[in-house]
Amino acid sequence: MEVAIGTDPGSDGRQMSNVLRIYNDNVGAELCERTGKSPNFRYLQLGCTHESEQIMLDFARKQVGKPFSPWAMARSILWPRKSKNKDYFCAELVAATLKEGGLMSKD
């Protein structure tokens, strides 16, 4: 699971250009350029204001390099935690980003 934020200059406004993602590896959270769309992925586009977009991008930049938490991911099924934004698993990082942008309830 990852979140794409922003539009490509000169595009029709539907291509998301900045991808925030995290994997179970030593890289941690990364913000990179979208290079295409995979037929293996499902995409959901959420509309938001330019202000929300900028808030999410600012938040995403601050998360770069934060580590993946396999323990939080494993225990989330039975004992969800309230993230302190020090480490993440994929869905948790996406949810935190959407919350910052006002697209998901803080609760």
Side-chain angles (χ1 to χ4, degrees), residues 4 32 55 60 81:
C32 54
I55 290 168
R81 70 176 181 167

Side-chain angles (χ1 to χ4, degrees), residues 42-61:
R42 296 176 115 192
Y43 296 90
L44 174 64
Q45 184 172 343
L46 303 174
C48 70
T49 65
H50 181 70
E51 180 183 2
S52 289
E53 178 184 312
Q54 291 307 304
I55 290 168
M56 289 187 289
L57 273 173
D58 290 342
F59 177 79
R61 289 182 186 105

Side-chain angles (χ1 to χ4, degrees), residues 2-62:
E2 60 189 32
V3 62
I5 310 164
T7 54
D8 289 327
S11 75
D12 60 6
R14 290 185 286 164
Q15 282 291 343
M16 298 300 173
S17 56
N18 303 288
V19 177
L20 178 62
R21 61 187 179 196
I22 192 166
Y23 297 110
N24 188 5
D25 59 20
N26 294 329
V27 175
E30 59 184 341
L31 185 63
C32 54
E33 185 177 330
R34 165 142 341 264
T35 57
K37 287 188 173 184
S38 171
N40 299 320
F41 290 177
R42 296 176 115 192
Y43 296 90
L44 174 64
Q45 184 172 343
L46 303 174
C48 70
T49 65
H50 181 70
E51 180 183 2
S52 289
E53 178 184 312
Q54 291 307 304
I55 290 168
M56 289 187 289
L57 273 173
D58 290 342
F59 177 79
R61 289 182 186 105
K62 293 175 186 169

